Amino acid sequence: GQNIDQPTEMTATEGAIVQINCTYQTSGFNGLFWYQQHAGEAPTFLSYNVLDGLEEKGRFSSFLSRSKGYSYLLLKELQMKDSASYLCAVRAAPNSGYSTLTFGKGTMLLVSP
Amino acid sequence: NAGVTQTPKFRILKIGQSMTLQCAQDMNHNYMYWYRQDPGMGLKLIYYSVGAGITDKGEVPNGYNVSRSTTEDFPLRLELAAPSQTSVYFCASKGERQYFGPGTRLTVT
């Protein structure tokens, strides 16, 4: 089975930096995804890590440590529009069948002026 | 490209009624998925398909059925609606990453 943990809520100020952590336990690992979801909307893809290290994409970066079962999403120069839920998802490498994503419960980020 | 489309956007059902949630994608993806999202509970996989004619159960399949007769379409069927099926339903398809449809908000009363 798989277990994914991330904080329920975080708050930050416009212009600041925030780090959203995700820890996971899985019987097999084949990649970690971060999605952003604004209220009432569908999730949209932010980042993908399959090897250890940092992936940077504009104001957003994602880090992965497979040995620690740990990832974080780093958001820099926060803007009001970054207020959203951030979903961590793990893709397992199954012994048989096809790999699917397991999602964490999401971290609601509130950016204040 | 329209991407992933879902209909309807909203629906209210009475207990025991049945309905089909429609999902279509125009990206020629083989993989398609149905999730439900309850408040504070994240996305739970209901069913998925790896190609036309092939479907498999996810984490929470009870009370639902699917079919995949074409690459484009992946409808989700609720046969006997129950209040526990009140949720937001998202369909997704996968190329390199999963692309989500806009969702269907279903209320069963």
Side-chain angles (χ1 to χ4, degrees):
Chain A
Q2 296 176 71
N3 189 41
I4 300 172
D5 287 312
Q6 49 181 133
T8 305
E9 289 182 355
M10 298 183 71
T11 58
T13 307
E14 200 174 10
I17 300 172
V18 71
Q19 177 175 312
I20 302 174
N21 296 326
C22 172
T23 58
Y24 64 88
Q25 291 146 357
T26 181
S27 54
F29 178 81
N30 195 21
L32 188 141
F33 295 77
W34 284 95
Y35 282 82
Q36 180 190 58
Q37 186 178 24
H38 286 101
E41 298 182 9
T44 55
F45 171 82
L46 283 179
S47 69
Y48 168 60
N49 296 70
V50 66
L51 299 175
D52 291 351
L54 188 68
E55 293 281 342
E56 296 187 80
K57 191 186 293 186
R59 293 189 300 115
F60 294 1
S61 304
S62 57
F63 172 83
L64 175 67
S65 169
R66 289 172 296 170
S67 62
K68 295 181 179 175
Y70 169 69
S71 173
Y72 67 73
L73 181 69
L74 192 71
L75 293 76
K76 302 175 187 174
E77 301 168 17
L78 280 172
Q79 302 174 9
M80 298 295 288
K81 67 178 181 179
D82 297 329
S83 292
S85 184
Y86 291 85
L87 311 176
C88 173
V90 172
R91 184 166 64 196
N95 294 326
S96 60
Y98 301 91
S99 61
T100 59
L101 287 185
T102 299
F103 284 82
K105 294 181 179 179
T107 298
M108 183 67 68
L109 173 66
L110 177 62
V111 180
S112 57
Chain B
N1 282 354
V4 181
T5 58
Q6 290 182 240
T7 56
K9 285 196 169 82
F10 304 92
R11 184 75 186 266
I12 298 174
L13 279 183
K14 295 189 175 173
I15 294 171
Q17 286 185 320
S18 62
M19 77 164 292
T20 299
L21 283 67
Q22 301 292 346
C23 174
Q25 52 96 7
D26 61 0
M27 296 175 281
N28 202 34
H29 290 161
N30 285 321
Y31 284 67
M32 295 186 75
Y33 308 83
W34 273 106
Y35 295 92
R36 59 176 288 171
Q37 186 175 37
D38 302 313
M41 293 301 292
L43 288 155
K44 300 287 187 185
L45 182 64
I46 305 171
Y47 269 96
Y48 67 102
S49 169
V50 300
I54 307 170
T55 62
D56 205 351
K57 295 178 181 178
E59 187 181 353
V60 290
N62 291 347
Y64 306 95
N65 275 301
V66 293
S67 60
R68 186 92 182 272
S69 55
T70 66
T71 299
E72 293 77 20
D73 300 298
F74 189 39
L76 178 72
R77 179 86 179 158
L78 284 71
E79 289 296 348
L80 289 170
S84 61
Q85 293 177 307
T86 293
S87 191
V88 180
Y89 291 84
F90 288 103
C91 178
S93 75
K94 171 183 167 287
E96 224 174 60
R97 67 209 53 172
Q98 290 195 16
Y99 298 87
F100 286 83
T104 295
R105 291 186 176 275
L106 176 66
T107 302
V108 182
T109 62

